[in-house]
Amino acid sequence: MMIGSISSLLSQSNTVQMLKDSGMIRQSLYFNASTLRMLNLQKDPAVDELVKGVDKLSLWVMDNRKFTRNEFFNTAEKLQNEEQYEEYLVMDGNEYNLQVVGKPKKQEMIGLINAENSSYVFKLKGTIDLMQLPEIWEKMSQVDTSSLNIFTFLKDRVMKEEADLQRWEERRKEWEERERREAMKADSIKAANIAIDSTKLTPENE
């Protein structure tokens, strides 16, 4: 299974590279065509039909604290205005926003998904039925965790990584708080020692 080893094979968008450099990406997942087919363990014909035209897929899970709704629209605008990606699909709903742009001659597309609690950017080399994207999102959002397929794999992988990141973030905050308390304690001791030394240097009253 090839995950995380083909990023260098994908032609890089300047806008996507800027997202990476800005630290807005929390997770990166990479798939090739054979990996996607392998993940269809239930041999669902609809999934096979969906991924048959896919050559390579990159999926980035964004940090919602940094990749805000404004960043979502700014990124889509940069892809179109600065890199000449064509607008393929725009969907605005109550629960999520979806925008997909692409370059037909290169058979390349970039999609952005902004939801209430999560945001994603994906880059796809190959072809896919764009009208199936909302259905894919629904399947990932309401996936049956009792069965193993490409959607449960993606959701479980993302959730596991998010849980690991959350634990690390909590530990980091604990370390920072402990260091802050130790620094305050050291400052208090230093101030107390200075006060004692000052008292020693003061001439005694006769």
Side-chain angles (χ1 to χ4, degrees):
M1 185 178 295
M2 183 181 292
I3 299 177
S5 59
I6 66 173
S7 57
S8 61
L9 302 180
L10 294 172
S11 58
Q12 189 60 274
S13 156
N14 292 333
T15 303
V16 171
Q17 187 60 49
M18 287 174 61
L19 292 178
K20 291 182 176 182
D21 295 340
S22 68
M24 292 186 186
I25 296 175
R26 290 176 68 90
Q27 295 184 55
S28 301
L29 301 174
Y30 303 101
F31 307 89
N32 60 19
S34 60
T35 301
L36 292 171
R37 288 193 294 270
M38 286 171 57
L39 289 173
N40 186 20
L41 299 178
Q42 294 180 320
K43 304 302 179 183
D44 185 341
V47 175
D48 282 338
E49 181 68 21
L50 176 67
V51 303
K52 72 177 183 180
V54 177
D55 183 19
K56 299 179 180 71
L57 173 66
S58 300
L59 174 66
W60 295 286
V61 182
M62 310 304 292
D63 186 340
N64 268 14
R65 297 168 303 178
K66 300 176 182 178
F67 191 73
T68 62
R69 185 178 175 85
N70 285 338
E71 285 293 340
F72 170 88
F73 289 110
N74 288 340
T75 300
E77 186 177 339
K78 285 180 181 179
L79 288 168
Q80 294 177 70
N81 295 341
E82 298 179 14
E83 299 193 53
Q84 288 72 55
Y85 279 85
E86 297 180 17
E87 184 178 278
Y88 280 3
L89 179 67
V90 175
M91 297 191 71
D92 294 316
N94 295 328
E95 298 181 357
Y96 67 91
N97 300 100
L98 169 66
Q99 292 201 28
V100 182
V101 298
K103 293 186 176 181
K105 292 183 179 180
K106 291 187 175 182
Q107 289 196 331
E108 175 183 293
M109 65 181 69
I110 295 177
L112 301 95
I113 302 170
N114 177 258
E116 183 178 357
N117 298 316
S118 55
S119 296
Y120 306 89
V121 175
F122 69 83
K123 182 173 182 180
L124 185 144
K125 187 71 174 177
T127 59
I128 193 173
D129 183 356
L130 292 174
M131 298 312 296
Q132 288 186 276
L133 290 178
E135 181 182 351
I136 295 171
W137 176 253
E138 289 297 323
K139 285 186 176 181
M140 285 189 65
S141 302
Q142 303 174 5
V143 67
D144 178 10
T145 55
S146 64
S147 60
L148 180 61
N149 54 45
I150 186 172
F151 302 109
T152 56
F153 174 86
L154 287 173
K155 187 169 184 177
D156 290 347
R157 180 68 179 262
V158 169
M159 290 179 66
K160 180 182 181 302
E161 293 292 332
E162 284 297 304
D164 290 343
L165 286 169
Q166 184 65 33
R167 284 194 293 270
W168 181 88
E169 203 164 286
E170 289 173 356
R171 286 198 295 269
R172 180 183 60 80
K173 289 180 180 179
E174 290 175 359
W175 294 335
E176 290 178 350
E177 178 62 22
R178 184 164 59 246
E179 289 179 353
R180 186 185 67 82
R181 289 197 301 265
E182 290 176 353
M184 290 178 62
K185 182 179 179 180
D187 288 343
S188 297
I189 293 173
K190 182 178 180 181
N193 289 335
I194 291 174
I196 292 172
D197 291 341
S198 298
T199 302
K200 290 179 179 179
L201 294 173
T202 302
E204 295 183 358
N205 295 326
E206 295 183 359

